[in-house]
Amino acid sequence: MQLNAKKFASAAALTVGILYIVCAIFVALWPDFAMQLLGQVAHIVNVDKFAGDVAITASGVIAGLVEVMIYAYVSSWIFAGLYNRFVK
């Protein structure tokens, strides 16, 4: 079964975009808990030392959203292309 690389990459980019927005909302509503979770995921004891005073801004969210969606699209497109090559 071949994957349609463009459709697969678009679906992945949209999925990551939705998750990014959910994450940004979570961080905006519960910043301390979000920092605690980041520390656990990254295995950092003093996450405050590394993250500092990070503020959520509309322009930052939009820039980050565009960035992660581009990364997801490109990496998924490459993945689909490699998958299609390997299943032949």
Side-chain angles (χ1 to χ4, degrees):
M1 176 181 146
Q2 296 278 321
L3 293 175
N4 182 319
K6 289 181 182 178
K7 289 180 181 179
F8 183 79
S10 295
L14 183 59
T15 301
V16 169
I18 291 168
L19 292 174
Y20 180 85
I21 293 297
V22 170
C23 181
I25 291 169
F26 184 84
V27 171
L29 293 176
W30 301 288
D32 293 335
F33 186 57
M35 286 294 240
Q36 180 184 357
L37 291 176
L38 172 64
Q40 293 169 350
V41 169
H43 310 292
I44 300 173
V45 177
N46 299 341
V47 74
D48 300 351
K49 185 178 185 180
F50 297 99
D53 289 333
V54 177
I56 299 288
T57 63
S59 61
V61 169
I62 292 169
L65 177 64
V66 169
E67 189 175 337
V68 298
M69 288 182 75
I70 290 171
Y71 291 151
Y73 186 91
V74 171
S75 61
S76 299
W77 186 79
I78 291 169
F79 175 87
L82 290 172
Y83 177 85
N84 289 340
R85 210 176 261 246
F86 288 130
V87 296
K88 285 185 180 179

